Amino acid sequence: MNVILFGATGMLGRAVLRECLRDDSVTGVLAIGRSPLGVTHPKLRERVQDDPSDLAAAGVDPAAYDACFFCLGVSSVGMTEEDYRRVTHDLTLAVARPLAAANPGMTFVYVSGQGTDSTGRGRSMWARVKGRTENDLLELPFRAYMFRPGIVQPVRGVPSRTRLYRVLYTVTAPLVPLLRRFAPDLVITSEAFGRAMIAVATPGTEVPGHILRPADINRLGGAPTSKN
C-alpha cells in the first residue's frame, strides 16, 4: 500500500512511520508536515510546508494512495476552544474532505484520544472537539477509523517531542510492567500502535469497529511482517 502520513515528527507519528518503513506491505510513504524528519529511506518521500492541509502544494494525487494516517495533533493546555478546534478539527477535515471526495476507497485513520466525547457536548473542551472531529470524519465516504489510545509506552527508541511527557514517561516507566501484567488492555506500546494502523488499512483485516480503544489496538498490533 501507498500511505500519506501526517504528524510524523510526534511520538505516535514517528512510531507509525517506523513500522511503515519496516513493513513489506507498505511500498511508499509520503510524510507531510511543518518540520523536517531527519530520516531518509528508499520508501520515504517528505514534504515540508507551513500548511500541511494544502494537498495541492504537496503534489498529492489522492487516487495514488491507499491510506492516510493522521497523527497530527496538539495539546489543548492553555488554548481556547476556538484555537484548539481550528488546529484539531478544522485542519483534520481540510485534509480528509478532499481525500474522501477524490478517493472513497481510501482508508483514513485518525489519532483521537481515550475519553473522547462522541456527543460533542460534554464538559471537557478537548474531548468535545475530538468527538466532533470523529463524528465528521465518520460521515465522509471513505473507510474511517478512530484510534483512541490510552497509556502508550514508547519503545524502539521512539521519543516524545514534549519535555513534560518525556519526564512523565521516565518517572512512570517502572509502573508500566505492573500495568501490563494486571491491566494489559490499558497499555499499548508505540510499536503495536504503528502496526495496528497498518493492519486496519490492510484488505482482509477483521476490524472490530470504527472506534478502536487500547484493547482493540493491542489485538490488531500483531507481529511485524518484516524484521528489518
Side-chain angles (χ1 to χ4, degrees):
M1 70 179 77
N2 281 320
V3 171
I4 308 172
L5 174 60
F6 289 84
T9 57
M11 184 187 76
L12 293 178
R14 192 164 288 271
V16 173
L17 175 62
R18 178 183 183 273
E19 297 309 313
C20 284
L21 297 181
R22 295 177 68 230
D23 195 304
D24 294 336
S25 71
V26 178
T27 54
V29 179
L30 171 61
I32 303 175
R34 296 188 180 97
S35 303
L37 296 174
V39 175
T40 58
H41 192 280
K43 288 201 276 188
L44 176 64
R45 290 194 302 119
E46 184 177 2
R47 181 71 186 189
V48 179
Q49 56 191 52
D50 291 335
D51 181 4
S53 69
D54 191 343
L55 301 180
V60 174
D61 174 9
Y65 293 90
D66 306 289
C68 177
F69 298 151
F70 200 91
C71 306
L72 190 63
V74 296
S75 169
S76 64
V77 176
M79 299 185 72
T80 66
E81 182 163 352
E82 180 181 358
D83 288 342
Y84 186 66
R85 183 178 62 248
R86 184 167 55 250
V87 298
T88 300
H89 173 277
D90 297 353
L91 178 61
T92 305
L93 271 295
V95 170
R97 285 178 176 135
L99 290 178
N103 186 0
M106 171 181 281
T107 298
F108 190 98
V109 187
Y110 174 65
V111 178
S112 187
Q114 188 78 328
T116 291
D117 175 18
S118 295
T119 71
R121 298 189 298 272
R123 296 181 62 184
S124 174
M125 181 270 281
W126 76 263
R128 287 196 305 271
V129 174
K130 286 280 192 180
R132 292 169 189 159
T133 305
E134 286 188 354
N135 292 340
D136 287 346
L137 288 172
L138 290 169
E139 290 180 357
L140 294 176
F142 53 21
R143 292 188 300 274
Y145 297 96
M146 312 296 115
F147 271 40
R148 295 185 180 181
I151 301 169
V152 181
Q153 179 187 9
V155 295
R156 310 296 186 191
V158 173
S160 171
R161 293 183 64 196
T162 305
R163 183 176 182 275
L164 175 60
Y165 290 171
R166 291 198 302 269
V167 172
L168 289 173
Y169 289 136
T170 300
V171 171
T172 59
L175 301 176
V176 172
L178 291 175
L179 284 173
R180 292 188 67 82
R181 180 177 179 183
F182 295 106
D185 284 338
L186 293 181
V187 182
I188 62 175
T189 66
S190 56
E191 184 178 27
F193 184 89
R195 294 204 304 263
M197 276 218 175
I198 296 169
V200 299
T202 300
T205 299
E206 185 176 342
V207 184
H210 290 276
I211 295 178
L212 304 175
R213 295 171 174 82
D216 306 310
I217 295 169
N218 274 330
R219 293 187 185 102
L220 288 164
T225 58
S226 170
K227 297 183 181 299
N228 295 330

